[in-house]
Amino acid sequence: MAQITLDEALVILNEHHLLVKSQLSNLSLNFKQIAYNSKLVSGKSLFFCKGNFKASYLLDAQNRGAIAYVSEQEFTNVAIPGIIVNDIQKSMSLLSAAFFGFPQNHLPTIAFTGTKGKTTSAYFAKSILDRTYQQKVALFSTINTVVGNTANDVVKSSLTTPESLDLFTNMNAAVHNGMTHLVMEVSSQAYKKNRVYGLHYDVGVFLNISPDHIGRNEHPTFADYLHCKEQLLVNSNICILNADGTHIRDIYYAAKTTTQPENIYIYGREAEVTELGIPVDFQYQSLEDSLTSNKISITANTNHAKKLAIDGNYTISIPGDYNEGNAVTAAITSCLMGASVADIEYGLAHTTVPGRMEIYPTKEHGTIYVDYAHNYGSLHSVLNFIKEQQPKGQIVVITGSTGDKGIDRREGLGKAIGEFANKAYLTTDDPATEDPKVIAETISQHIDHDKVAVSYIADRKAAITKAVTESLPGDVVLVAGKGHDAFQKINGRNVPYAGDAAIVANLVKGL
């Protein structure tokens, strides 16, 4: 049963130099619940005062049964005592792990970070390891959180990496459901906000980095963004690095701060990491490349890579040459977790990712793709791949961008559209408190209108419908940004939305 005593909590906080003072004296006091949302408090709860906190939240928590609180400041509006700390986010992460009996110790974990490719890599790895461990692999991804094998054990994720209390709640559920391994995505914000403070991974993967998530509500600078992502490597036993990306020197030396060279594996398309003057451990190349699937070869170049014995050719079920590196890292990480070559072959050939390059062919119109691409790197990769397949007709893009965050994405989306598309329909994504038309106008400013016909249609379903129904045989229509998302974030509300994939599927069925 999940619980923590006051004595245990104070010891942990003291060990990490987080405790300022405690207003409680009964060290045997037992907390049966922990919460940071007052509406979820019930019984003998320890309540965390975090975020944009109001004193009224704590009063509500007390009225619902909270018997103590943890905060960076003292509150006088309640009768319950407090534990005062110097960092509430770090404190909540450590105490949440302890409350659930450190479930991470029972879940060998692969963790992925990167500007793009996290979700696809995670799904590749889960697909492989599900065959190795008989469907006993939990998944914490941008799309879904999977803590078991029943329908109730799969829920739509609200964050790539959730708040620490929610994260350890999910880990605990996975352990109780018999899951033996975990594959998870770790965002830069997870480190910026200390959601994974104190968490260590068996295998950590740094996929790539490009400017993103830099803005008033996220990272102040690219250097801060890079630093936060590198923390995953500092907190991993084995590190996997992509030599095809940028800043490989910084990333490699971040890994070396806590990991021996023999436990660092570098993969890439070229035989050598030029910046470091060392060979890649695994080199891969594309053998076949189509709009429906890929085939790659993997070759080990170093002694410690050869010990894994995963050299060979592999078929990948998800199209896109940019997905080949994701498949390679999944093969390496899965092998380190005990997967056989047969498991890797099967898993890579049978992976499906909701909202990632989903294909909807039509007879009398174009081929429709649905993908979550939402920044320059991901949209450029998808459109470049489509262009290289030489479609007979036009390339049409439907997209928008988020409001109140990722402001720099808008320029990148416009740039990618201008590089590859013939026609673009700009529409609403998750505008939050911003005007979606203003967001679209910003994207449009960075599109070459001499090359691309640009239209704005506020209603996303109407934009998708127009693009699909007006497409001709040989055209490729890319619906980018929301995939299977079931709502749009508008003015602080989650407004129900059918999802790009469902809208396209229904349209194609009707056609």
Side-chain angles (χ1 to χ4, degrees):
M1 181 179 179
Q3 60 184 11
I4 188 171
T5 65
L6 174 62
D7 187 30
E8 292 168 335
L10 296 183
V11 167
I12 290 169
L13 294 174
N14 259 321
E15 285 180 344
H16 290 266
H17 309 290
L18 294 168
L19 182 65
V20 176
K21 69 175 182 178
S22 173
Q23 298 173 339
L24 297 92
S25 57
N26 181 9
L27 295 180
S28 63
L29 181 64
N30 201 348
F31 300 104
K32 301 291 187 180
Q33 188 209 28
I34 55 175
Y36 64 85
N37 183 339
S38 64
K39 292 181 174 59
L40 300 180
V41 171
S42 64
K44 297 176 64 177
S45 178
L46 178 63
F47 184 70
F48 295 98
C49 307
K50 62 165 286 292
N52 297 318
F53 194 76
K54 297 179 182 179
S56 58
Y57 299 159
L58 181 54
L59 183 61
D60 184 41
Q62 175 185 272
N63 293 337
R64 293 173 184 267
I67 57 175
Y69 66 90
V70 183
S71 175
E72 292 178 7
Q73 67 178 89
E74 294 183 41
F75 289 93
T76 58
N77 66 315
V78 292
I80 58 176
I83 301 172
I84 311 306
V85 297
N86 54 42
D87 192 311
I88 185 62
Q89 290 284 163
K90 291 180 179 180
S91 301
M92 186 169 74
S93 184
L94 293 169
L95 296 184
S96 295
F99 179 81
F100 290 111
F102 304 100
Q104 67 270 32
N105 295 341
H106 306 285
L107 286 173
T109 300
I110 299 172
F112 294 94
T113 198
T115 303
K116 58 183 180 178
K118 296 187 297 295
T119 300
T120 302
S121 300
Y123 270 82
F124 273 138
K126 175 173 166 56
S127 179
I128 295 167
L129 292 173
D130 267 341
R131 191 173 189 270
T132 309
Y133 295 108
Q134 295 76 50
Q135 310 295 315
K136 298 293 186 182
V137 181
L139 173 70
F140 300 167
S141 81
T142 301
I143 300 175
N144 287 327
T145 298
V146 181
V147 299
N149 290 318
T150 71
N152 293 332
D153 295 325
V154 182
V155 297
K156 171 77 178 120
S157 302
S158 58
L159 293 169
T160 296
T161 312
E163 285 289 356
S164 57
L165 193 157
D166 301 320
L167 177 64
F168 288 107
T169 299
N170 292 335
M171 284 186 173
N172 184 58
V175 171
H176 279 277
N177 289 333
M179 299 291 103
T180 61
H181 291 73
L182 170 63
V183 176
M184 68 180 289
E185 299 177 43
V186 181
S187 66
S188 58
Q189 283 291 299
Y191 277 104
K192 186 70 175 174
K193 302 294 186 182
N194 285 310
R195 296 174 191 157
V196 290
Y197 183 76
L199 191 59
H200 207 79
Y201 316 101
D202 295 271
V203 182
V205 183
F206 197 113
L207 295 167
N208 49 65
I209 190 162
S210 57
D212 193 27
H213 298 288
I214 299 167
R216 56 180 178 262
N217 295 323
E218 298 182 278
H219 296 280
T221 62
F222 178 79
D224 182 75
Y225 179 46
L226 174 60
H227 171 76
C228 288
K229 283 200 170 295
E230 288 174 338
Q231 299 315 298
L232 181 136
L233 301 175
V234 175
N235 289 284
S236 297
N237 293 335
I238 300 174
C239 297
I240 315 296
L241 315 179
N242 177 13
D244 298 332
T246 60
H247 298 83
I248 185 62
R249 178 181 293 277
D250 288 338
I251 295 163
Y252 178 69
Y253 283 108
K256 280 188 68 177
T257 58
T258 54
T259 304
Q260 292 293 329
E262 62 268 23
N263 285 326
I264 300 174
Y265 296 86
I266 304 176
Y267 67 95
R269 293 186 185 274
E270 303 299 326
E272 184 177 86
V273 187
T274 306
E275 284 187 57
L276 299 173
I278 60 175
V280 297
D281 298 292
F282 291 97
Q283 185 177 4
Y284 71 97
Q285 62 178 337
S286 179
L287 302 178
E288 296 177 17
D289 193 3
S290 74
L291 283 170
T292 56
S293 65
N294 289 30
K295 180 176 284 188
I296 62 170
S297 68
I298 300 176
T299 304
N301 292 335
T302 61
N303 290 332
H304 76 297
K306 290 176 182 177
K307 291 177 182 178
L308 299 188
I310 61 171
D311 288 36
N313 299 338
Y314 297 88
T315 298
I316 306 170
S317 59
I318 303 174
D321 53 358
Y322 52 91
N323 280 319
E324 293 172 355
N326 298 331
V328 173
T329 193
I332 298 168
T333 56
S334 299
C335 178
L336 290 167
M337 281 291 190
S340 67
V341 168
D343 296 334
I344 297 170
E345 289 175 341
Y346 182 89
L348 294 180
H350 292 84
T351 301
T352 58
V353 185
R356 288 283 194 260
M357 285 300 279
E358 292 191 7
I359 308 169
Y360 299 87
T362 68
K363 292 182 179 180
E364 299 181 5
H365 297 271
T367 299
I368 321 301
Y369 286 84
V370 173
D371 192 88
Y372 274 109
H374 62 279
N375 56 29
Y376 175 75
S378 56
L379 188 60
H380 173 90
S381 296
V382 173
L383 289 175
N384 182 55
F385 169 70
I386 291 172
K387 189 77 170 182
E388 287 180 345
Q389 300 303 311
Q390 297 179 329
K392 297 177 182 178
Q394 294 189 321
I395 296 177
V396 182
V397 180
I398 303 97
T399 194
S401 192
T402 55
D404 297 338
K405 68 175 184 177
I407 309 299
D408 58 312
R409 293 176 187 168
R410 300 167 196 179
E411 178 180 351
L413 291 172
K415 182 181 176 183
I417 290 168
E419 289 171 340
F420 300 103
N422 304 104
K423 188 182 295 185
Y425 293 95
L426 302 180
T427 186
T428 303
D429 190 313
D430 289 330
T433 63
E434 293 191 61
D435 183 343
K437 187 174 183 180
V438 173
I439 295 174
E441 288 171 348
T442 306
I443 297 171
S444 182
Q445 289 171 9
H446 300 282
I447 300 175
D448 186 344
H449 288 249
D450 292 332
K451 297 179 180 179
V452 186
V454 181
S455 303
Y456 172 70
I457 301 176
D459 183 271
R460 191 175 180 94
K461 182 178 180 180
I464 295 170
T465 301
K466 183 175 177 62
V468 171
T469 56
E470 293 186 359
S471 66
L472 300 173
D475 290 352
V476 175
V477 180
L478 173 65
V479 184
K482 290 193 67 64
H484 286 255
D485 285 358
F487 54 81
Q488 290 182 308
K489 298 178 181 178
I490 303 175
N491 291 321
R493 295 172 50 240
N494 287 337
V495 178
Y497 175 67
D500 291 349
I503 291 170
V504 170
N506 288 330
L507 279 171
V508 170
K509 185 177 180 180
L511 294 173

